[in-house]
Amino acid sequence: MSVSQNPSSGFEVIFSTLQNAEDAESTLNVLNILDELLSAGTDHRIHYMISKGGSEALLSALMKNGSRSSPDYTILLPILYLVAKVGQKDCHIGKKAEEAGAVLLTLNLLKNNIQHAGRAEAYLNVIQVFAGSAASRYALATSPCYSASSRQPQFPHQNILDQTKGWMSSTTLSLAIPSRIGKQLKDNICTAVTKGYVSGLLLLYDDWHSKDTNHSATDILQALLHCFCKIACSALGRDNLVSHGGIRLLYHTTQTYLLNKCQESLIESSVQLMRSCLPKTRLPLTSDQSAYLFPLPGRQHDDLDMVATSDESNGDDDDDDDDKVEDDYQEAQSKDYDNDLETDLNTLCLRPATDRPKELLLQYSRLCPELSHDFLEDLDLNSQESSSSSSSDDETGPEKKTPEFLSQTEKGTSDQTKSAPCPLKVKDFYSHTGINTRSGGTKTGETREEANSSLTDDEQKNKNEGNGKCYNSPMTDLIDIHNHDIPYHEPSMYRAAAMKTKSVPGFSTLAFPDFWGQVPPPGNEPMAPRKPNIQRQKVLEDIQRFLNTDIINQVVFDLEDECLQFPPAEPDSLRFFSSFECGNLRKAIRVRRYEYDLILNADANCSQHTQWFYFEVSNMVPDVPYRFNIINCEKSNSQFNYGMQPVLYSVRDALNGKPQWCRSGTEICYFRNHFCPVRGRLRTTFYTLTFTITFKYSEDVCYLAYHYPYTYSALRAHLRLLNRSVDPSKVFFREQVLCPTLAGNACPFVTITACPPSKSYTDIHQLRNRPCIVLSSRVHPGESNASWVMKGTLEFLCSHDPIAQALRETFVFKIIPMLNPDGVINGMNRCDLNRDDLNRQWCKPDPVLCPTIYHTKGFLSYLSSIRRTPLVFCDYHGHSRKKNVFLYGCSVKETLWQSGSTFDTAALKENPGYRTIAKALDRIAPAFSFNSCNYLVEKSRSATARIVVWKELGVLRSYTMESTFNGFDQGIYKGLQTRTRELEEMGMKFCHSLLSLTVDTRALYGRSLINHMNPGHNVLDHKSHNCFEDDEPPCVEEIEYSMFPGLKGKDLNWT
């Protein structure tokens, strides 16, 4: 007789025997059988057992044996072991245990056996498994037995240390309970807080720390820190930790951990926990809104206030709102970049209709003077004076503008901004007479009375024409004494340009570096090495500030308080100033003797975009390290974490013959802080840039900036000097006005090409048919590096270099060197006075609120309408997150490939010429990184210049060229920070790359020209293909405090 045996019947018999066995021997035998069955094979056997009721049978045995007045632990311990083992694979074990009553029973047994390490460990293993269910977690949290399990075992500490290994494991598992509670149920954290568990855990942590003399309880302390981290996920939990002295306790314990390298994990975890628990502190400002308000045309002043606060609400209305910031940050970090790529082929390929009728485009014919200029007359006269006169006439002033060009912007802004008080003065630097030891004690600047002898417009014109000096002043004498000789810079011409510059506050002072000029430092400037754990050191100093009451907390500069812009000099306090063109510093607070918190001014008319800074500092003590903390930065990471330094300009060095912006600063790091907006939501995140400066001189005035400043007035003066430097018989150089800005400043527009060599029809015809190259820059005011690249481009195109001559003879260059003059002038970082990012307005720019973009796009549309679509369009930018220089372009195929589109791109024809310039730059420009380039069309950037000019105007080679603020990680410049020399060189090399677009490339790349392309080093062999790095690696220290190193589950032996 052969009866088929059901495989499940064996388990059913075992489970039935286990539940019904009355004697210990039978029960032990059954448990041993189950242990052997589950020890062999894979997890599949455990899951099969669970499906046949194994969990219920074990819980029943636990209830039966554990409910006895005197449990037999020879039976109960094996049951607990099996329950823990099976429960780890049973996702419903918590619910089953709650229904069976096993949760509270286990807690009660733990309470009665807390002094027995082996039993307690077994119970804690089971409790950890039960904690996987919400229902059982609630039962655990609300049970009166739970508090007992959270207390330290009360028996001699030496005995605990003798059983360190077992107790580390058991205590870790015990403390996993509150951490799991805090992970999903804030109500349970509230219960834990109200029942006093936080104070108990802090006492427990303090006791373990004080008695752990041989560092054998690290895992226990780590587990306690993990509990605190989970409690800190709630605002209530953080407040409770702070109110019970948690930060103070962690700070003092961390100081002892710093003395022992083996406690590194505890240090990092403690620091991160303290950072997360520091109470949110509102910025010490009267308002989040910028100190600069500009009435926009057609809008009332009250409307600005409403817009500035429309996204703000009282943070007290939602106590848990700031708890979401961690989740939001993680979600933002994990967002798939490919989701932003455009996948609609029609959107990529179809050319939208023009945004204005052709009749309105005729006004831009004036911006093509090379098409209408009478070169025959110039050639006959062969006179520089005639050409100069033509150049002057072509500079479109208000009296020259055509009726349609006089927009509402120009008509409505005459009384909304302030021109510089006439005359402008150079700051006297608070009478630091010791600065000018070589000038006989003459003050550096001029007083208002002395400045009354400043040049008039006619006198300036005469000086520009070479008629000599027209006035004398201390500053003039100083210039003569120091033999001022900086290429393409004249202080008197700079001041003349600055006098016509209109700013929102009405600047009356020139910053000395801009007036005096600068030359690049002669030597290389390597990236600053990062001191190990420097961020930790700075964070601990900040926590010490929170704990101590001896903070000075003295406001020493306030842009909104005239009394604090020139406060009485104090012997040991720095003095600050930023009320000059491009300057940005809103407030300075002295927090310690040699430490200052600095707050940047938001972009005008809004409450955001703080990154750019440029300010003056004086009254310093030499050879003393001063710590500066810029506390309201907004970006989540910065090149300051990767070797970048701020730039510093010393007036004393300049007067001694070294007018240089130099990289300066030590102990630099960038990390998230605990500050929040004045009126905004608490969840808004700010970051601190901290750096230390040691000044060399006592009687000095220094300037600190995010990057090498380049002002609007410097551009205007530079263009005048370039116009004066070219040979008008060979170089056609015209500076015109594209349009007035919102503030009434002229937006310069430059045309550069070669004059025809003869009067022949062929030469004139060739000139009229040269393809156009359109270049623009500085749409984002804080990206001053873009202006230095543009400076290199302009100077090269006006030079006598044979390549420059070849390019002028081949192309007509149309250049808008500063698309956002108002933003640059007023020290803004991202926006224009209309509070918008101008590089997101290209689809439908407003002619009143975005005049420079509106007219630039109109000019490009005009070129397209007369069949002179630019061969190249490139917008120069700066990049704050990456190194090197690189291009962003547009490609349909590459976008579809990257996005994973199912469209068959093999049948799609696309001109590969969009890569030509990048390939050329990779050969000739040592600062350029080919592998950092991409040609993807993103939805979020659909309104940028690069994409709109490519898609709407059909310019194949439409680029954004990004230049690093930091330096280079490849080629001959590897490991070096960029100077203005490298930036200007990049502008020159971009021009070199345009040779690759010429018809007769081989002729232009002849050996004679190649020799001119690399005079200092052999860069033709430069390649960046083997230097690929995808953005920056993670910072060596946690910028955020949403993650807690050393507290991961695997480190705590969790499953």
Side-chain angles (χ1 to χ4, degrees):
M1 181 177 67
S2 176
V3 179
S4 176
Q5 184 75 17
N6 190 332
S8 65
S9 61
F11 272 122
E12 291 172 354
V13 171
I14 293 173
F15 295 154
S16 176
T17 304
L18 177 63
Q19 291 171 312
N20 297 322
E22 296 295 337
D23 61 291
E25 185 177 357
S26 299
T27 303
L28 283 172
N29 288 334
V30 173
L31 293 173
N32 287 331
I33 292 171
L34 287 174
D35 183 38
E36 290 184 9
L37 288 172
L38 297 181
S39 298
T42 64
D43 289 347
H44 177 73
R45 183 172 293 182
I46 296 179
H47 288 294
Y48 185 77
M49 174 183 168
I50 292 171
S51 69
K52 297 304 177 182
S55 299
E56 290 84 348
L58 291 171
L59 290 172
S60 176
L62 174 61
M63 292 296 298
K64 177 181 177 181
N65 290 275
S67 300
R68 295 171 180 171
S69 57
S70 299
D72 184 351
Y73 283 95
T74 60
I75 297 175
L76 197 54
L77 288 177
I79 293 176
L80 291 170
Y81 168 76
L82 288 172
V83 169
K85 185 170 186 176
V86 173
Q88 291 175 1
K89 306 299 179 182
D90 188 349
C91 58
H92 300 293
I93 188 65
K95 181 179 180 181
K96 294 175 183 178
E98 176 65 19
E99 292 174 351
V103 176
L104 295 181
L105 173 67
T106 308
L107 270 177
N108 190 56
L109 289 170
L110 173 61
K111 177 182 177 182
N112 295 333
N113 291 273
I114 198 70
Q115 304 296 328
H116 301 277
R119 298 175 188 178
E121 181 177 3
Y123 288 124
L124 291 169
N125 273 287
V126 173
I127 290 172
Q128 184 201 16
V129 171
F130 289 169
S133 164
S136 58
R137 282 199 302 270
Y138 182 78
L140 288 167
T142 56
S143 170
C145 303
Y146 171 70
S147 59
S149 69
S150 297
R151 299 193 188 103
Q152 182 181 358
Q154 301 298 316
F155 54 87
H157 195 71
Q158 185 59 45
N159 291 340
I160 298 178
L161 296 180
D162 291 340
Q163 305 177 56
T164 297
K165 185 175 181 179
W167 271 104
M168 284 180 180
S169 177
S170 63
T171 308
T172 297
L173 292 170
S174 172
L175 298 174
I177 299 170
S179 68
R180 286 176 178 262
I181 294 171
K183 188 175 182 180
Q184 298 182 13
L185 297 177
K186 291 183 179 179
D187 290 342
N188 287 352
I189 292 181
C190 181
T191 302
V193 169
T194 55
K195 287 195 173 187
Y197 296 159
V198 173
S199 59
L201 287 171
L202 287 170
L203 289 173
L204 191 64
Y205 184 85
D206 188 24
D207 191 60
W208 274 106
H209 166 74
S210 60
K211 295 178 181 178
D212 184 25
T213 57
N214 60 353
H215 311 298
S216 57
T218 300
D219 286 353
I220 297 175
L221 293 168
Q222 189 74 284
L224 281 164
L225 287 173
H226 187 74
C227 295
F228 295 144
C229 293
K230 291 301 181 181
I231 292 171
C233 290
S234 163
L236 178 63
R238 290 192 295 273
D239 293 343
N240 210 253
L241 281 168
V242 174
S243 63
H244 285 89
I247 293 182
R248 187 175 298 276
L249 171 63
L250 291 170
Y251 177 80
H252 290 302
T253 56
T254 301
Q255 298 305 307
T256 62
Y257 297 152
L258 289 170
L259 303 176
N260 193 325
K261 292 184 179 180
C262 68
Q263 305 283 38
E264 178 64 30
S265 62
L266 294 177
I267 298 172
E268 187 61 22
S269 302
S270 299
V271 170
Q272 293 292 71
L273 179 59
M274 286 186 282
R275 290 178 67 191
S276 67
C277 288
L278 282 175
K280 286 287 187 180
T281 303
R282 299 190 186 276
L283 289 174
L285 299 172
T286 57
S287 170
D288 297 309
Q289 193 172 3
S290 173
Y292 296 158
L293 296 180
F294 178 81
L296 295 175
R299 298 186 184 180
Q300 298 297 323
H301 183 74
D302 293 341
D303 295 337
L304 291 177
D305 294 336
M306 293 179 62
V307 171
T309 58
S310 62
D311 61 342
E312 297 176 353
S313 63
N314 191 338
D316 297 333
D317 293 342
D318 186 0
D319 290 337
D320 289 332
D321 209 31
D322 55 330
D323 297 334
K324 301 175 184 177
V325 71
E326 305 298 342
D327 297 333
D328 292 346
Y329 173 78
Q330 295 295 340
E331 180 180 352
Q333 294 296 308
S334 62
K335 181 181 178 181
D336 188 359
Y337 172 77
D338 292 347
N339 291 336
D340 189 37
L341 297 181
E342 184 59 70
T343 57
D344 187 341
L345 186 61
N346 290 329
T347 302
L348 288 169
C349 296
L350 293 183
R351 186 170 174 178
T354 181
D355 63 350
R356 66 197 81 180
K358 290 187 176 181
E359 293 75 19
L360 290 181
L361 301 180
L362 297 178
Q363 62 177 304
Y364 300 108
S365 61
R366 66 180 184 85
L367 297 177
C368 294
E370 75 282 0
L371 299 182
S372 58
H373 186 76
D374 191 352
F375 288 98
L376 297 178
E377 180 181 355
D378 280 356
L379 290 168
D380 288 337
L381 294 174
N382 195 21
S383 168
Q384 179 176 351
E385 288 77 14
S386 174
S387 179
S388 299
S389 176
S390 299
S391 173
S392 177
D393 292 341
D394 275 333
E395 288 191 36
T396 307
E399 70 282 0
K400 290 281 184 181
K401 293 170 186 171
T402 57
E404 57 270 8
F405 187 69
L406 288 170
S407 65
Q408 296 180 17
T409 302
E410 184 181 12
K411 294 175 183 178
T413 59
S414 60
D415 60 344
Q416 295 172 356
T417 55
K418 305 173 186 177
S419 297
C422 185
L424 258 170
K425 64 169 184 171
V426 183
K427 205 159 179 290
D428 66 359
F429 307 114
Y430 317 115
S431 303
H432 284 279
T433 55
I435 258 180
N436 301 312
T437 55
R438 293 178 53 189
S439 59
T442 305
K443 289 185 180 181
T444 305
E446 298 171 285
T447 64
R448 290 181 181 271
E449 292 76 13
E450 290 168 338
N452 285 332
S453 62
S454 177
L455 296 178
T456 64
D457 288 345
D458 291 336
E459 288 171 334
Q460 182 62 56
K461 181 178 179 182
N462 290 335
K463 178 172 175 57
N464 288 345
E465 292 177 355
N467 292 337
K469 294 182 189 176
C470 305
Y471 75 106
N472 290 298
S473 72
M475 183 55 67
T476 307
D477 296 338
L478 202 60
I479 293 172
D480 292 339
I481 290 171
H482 288 281
N483 190 25
H484 196 84
D485 185 18
I486 295 178
Y488 294 103
H489 184 82
E490 289 185 8
S492 56
M493 188 172 288
Y494 178 86
R495 186 171 64 175
M499 288 175 64
K500 299 178 182 179
T501 297
K502 298 178 181 180
S503 61
V504 173
F507 297 131
S508 60
T509 302
L510 299 181
F512 185 87
D514 306 322
F515 170 81
W516 191 259
Q518 71 93 38
V519 294
N524 293 326
E525 296 187 297
M527 293 180 193
R530 185 181 177 105
K531 183 179 177 181
N533 299 317
I534 184 59
Q535 177 181 301
R536 174 194 297 172
Q537 174 187 328
K538 298 304 178 182
V539 168
L540 288 173
E541 290 176 8
D542 293 345
I543 294 170
Q544 188 181 33
R545 276 172 52 179
F546 170 76
L547 297 174
N548 293 345
T549 57
D550 59 345
I551 301 303
I552 298 175
N553 203 32
Q554 174 190 10
V555 178
V556 295
F557 174 79
D558 192 336
L559 194 61
E560 299 172 277
D561 187 342
E562 291 185 3
C563 296
L564 289 173
Q565 291 194 31
F566 299 98
E570 295 189 16
D572 59 346
S573 176
L574 292 178
R575 301 189 67 181
F576 296 86
F577 187 73
S578 65
S579 295
F580 48 78
E581 188 175 346
C582 277
N584 190 314
L585 177 65
R586 182 170 182 173
K587 198 168 188 176
I589 304 169
R590 189 185 186 195
V591 292
R592 292 190 179 100
R593 184 176 182 184
Y594 299 116
E595 181 177 353
Y596 295 81
D597 279 354
L598 308 179
I599 302 175
L600 304 182
N601 191 27
D603 284 359
N605 287 343
C606 69
S607 59
Q608 302 178 55
H609 311 298
T610 49
Q611 175 175 295
W612 170 260
F613 59 88
Y614 180 21
F615 57 87
E616 174 192 299
V617 60
S618 60
N619 203 42
M620 64 281 290
V621 178
D623 302 321
V624 170
Y626 287 88
R627 178 182 172 184
F628 297 97
N629 309 308
I630 299 177
I631 61 175
N632 64 330
C633 301
E634 294 180 353
K635 293 197 173 185
S636 60
N637 201 353
S638 170
Q639 281 292 315
F640 284 113
N641 276 329
Y642 303 95
M644 177 175 162
Q645 296 172 285
V647 293
L648 180 145
Y649 188 105
S650 165
V651 171
R652 186 159 185 170
D653 279 343
L655 296 178
N656 289 328
K658 296 179 180 179
Q660 299 164 357
W661 281 103
C662 299
R663 299 283 185 166
S664 185
T666 58
E667 299 185 345
I668 302 171
C669 54
Y670 184 97
F671 55 90
R672 181 176 165 187
N673 60 37
H674 61 287
F675 289 99
C676 63
V678 178
R679 297 179 58 189
R681 303 176 77 89
L682 293 176
R683 63 185 295 186
T684 301
T685 300
F686 284 127
Y687 296 81
T688 292
L689 165 63
T690 182
F691 55 91
T692 298
I693 300 289
T694 302
F695 300 100
K696 295 188 294 184
Y697 311 113
S698 58
E699 294 182 332
D700 195 4
V701 177
C702 292
Y703 291 80
L704 287 166
Y706 181 87
H707 196 69
Y708 308 103
Y710 191 95
T711 65
Y712 169 76
S713 298
L715 171 66
R716 296 308 304 270
H718 185 230
L719 292 177
R720 299 273 179 150
L721 288 168
L722 283 175
N723 186 26
R724 194 169 69 180
S725 70
V726 300
D727 181 352
S729 66
K730 296 181 179 179
V731 180
F732 183 85
F733 182 99
R734 292 293 181 273
E735 179 193 350
Q736 298 172 274
V737 176
L738 173 68
C739 65
T741 66
L742 277 172
N745 292 294
C747 180
F749 183 96
V750 179
T751 301
I752 301 175
T753 191
C755 295
S758 71
K759 297 187 294 183
S760 69
Y761 170 81
T762 302
D763 287 339
I764 299 295
H765 180 74
Q766 189 270 344
L767 182 148
R768 311 265 194 220
N769 288 276
R770 292 171 187 167
C772 284
I773 306 290
V774 180
L775 307 176
S776 63
S777 179
R778 206 69 182 279
V779 70
H780 295 145
E783 296 171 2
S784 61
N785 47 356
S787 282
W788 288 102
V789 176
M790 180 59 76
K791 182 175 184 288
T793 292
L794 286 166
E795 290 182 5
F796 175 74
L797 290 177
C798 294
S799 70
H800 300 293
D801 189 287
I803 294 181
Q805 177 64 24
L807 290 172
R808 291 193 298 265
E809 293 171 355
T810 306
F811 304 114
V812 176
F813 290 89
K814 301 291 183 178
I815 301 174
I816 307 101
M818 193 171 285
L819 279 168
N820 192 349
D822 292 343
V824 172
I825 292 166
N826 294 288
M828 297 162 67
N829 180 62
R830 188 76 179 180
C831 299
D832 192 11
L833 294 179
N834 62 6
R835 66 178 173 270
D836 288 329
D837 180 346
L838 291 184
N839 201 35
R840 297 296 186 275
Q841 310 301 317
W842 277 78
C843 282
K844 293 184 178 180
D846 189 295
V848 175
L849 297 179
C850 307
T852 61
I853 304 303
Y854 178 83
H855 290 296
T856 301
K857 185 178 180 181
F859 170 70
L860 291 167
S861 299
Y862 170 73
L863 290 180
S864 181
S865 70
I866 62 173
R867 299 187 178 183
R868 297 192 69 202
T869 300
L871 186 64
V872 175
F873 171 82
C874 189
D875 191 19
Y876 293 1
H877 282 253
H879 205 290
S880 65
R881 305 282 190 96
K882 298 176 74 172
K883 296 184 175 70
N884 310 314
V885 182
F886 48 93
L887 289 177
Y888 291 145
C890 301
S891 165
V892 175
K893 278 193 172 185
E894 294 198 31
T895 302
L896 294 176
W897 288 337
Q898 182 69 28
S899 65
S901 172
T902 58
F903 182 83
D904 182 13
T905 56
L908 186 65
K909 293 183 179 180
E910 183 176 41
N911 188 335
Y914 63 87
R915 283 177 167 261
T916 305
I917 289 180
K919 290 180 178 178
L921 285 171
D922 195 45
R923 293 182 63 239
I924 63 176
F928 190 80
S929 171
F930 184 81
N931 288 310
S932 294
C933 301
N934 80 51
Y935 307 90
L936 306 178
V937 181
E938 306 97 326
K939 299 173 185 176
S940 62
R941 291 173 172 79
S942 60
T944 60
R946 166 176 61 97
I947 293 179
V948 170
V949 172
W950 169 75
K951 185 162 62 175
E952 294 188 20
L953 303 176
V955 178
L956 173 68
R957 300 174 184 87
S958 179
Y959 303 111
T960 296
M961 186 163 73
E962 301 277 1
S963 299
T964 179
F965 286 100
N966 183 359
F968 313 98
D969 58 10
Q970 62 172 35
I972 62 173
Y973 295 150
K974 184 175 183 179
L976 300 179
Q977 295 182 83
T978 184
R979 300 168 296 175
T980 56
R981 178 180 288 111
E982 285 76 37
L983 294 172
E984 292 183 49
E985 178 191 69
M986 191 62 227
M988 175 188 68
K989 294 297 182 182
F990 182 82
C991 296
H992 286 176
S993 72
L994 298 175
L995 290 174
S996 62
L997 305 179
T998 58
V999 177
D1000 192 4
T1001 304
R1002 287 180 297 177
L1004 286 173
Y1005 268 114
R1007 178 52 54 184
S1008 60
L1009 290 184
I1010 287 179
N1011 290 337
H1012 286 280
M1013 292 174 65
N1014 40 295
H1017 41 70
N1018 183 15
V1019 295
L1020 286 180
D1021 295 330
H1022 163 72
K1023 294 286 183 180
S1024 61
H1025 298 82
N1026 298 323
C1027 309
F1028 178 75
E1029 288 188 13
D1030 187 12
D1031 296 325
E1032 293 290 355
C1035 185
V1036 293
E1037 297 184 84
E1038 287 292 344
I1039 301 169
E1040 302 289 331
Y1041 46 81
S1042 57
M1043 299 175 64
F1044 299 87
L1047 292 177
K1048 300 177 181 179
K1050 64 181 181 180
D1051 297 329
L1052 298 176
N1053 298 318
W1054 294 349
T1055 56

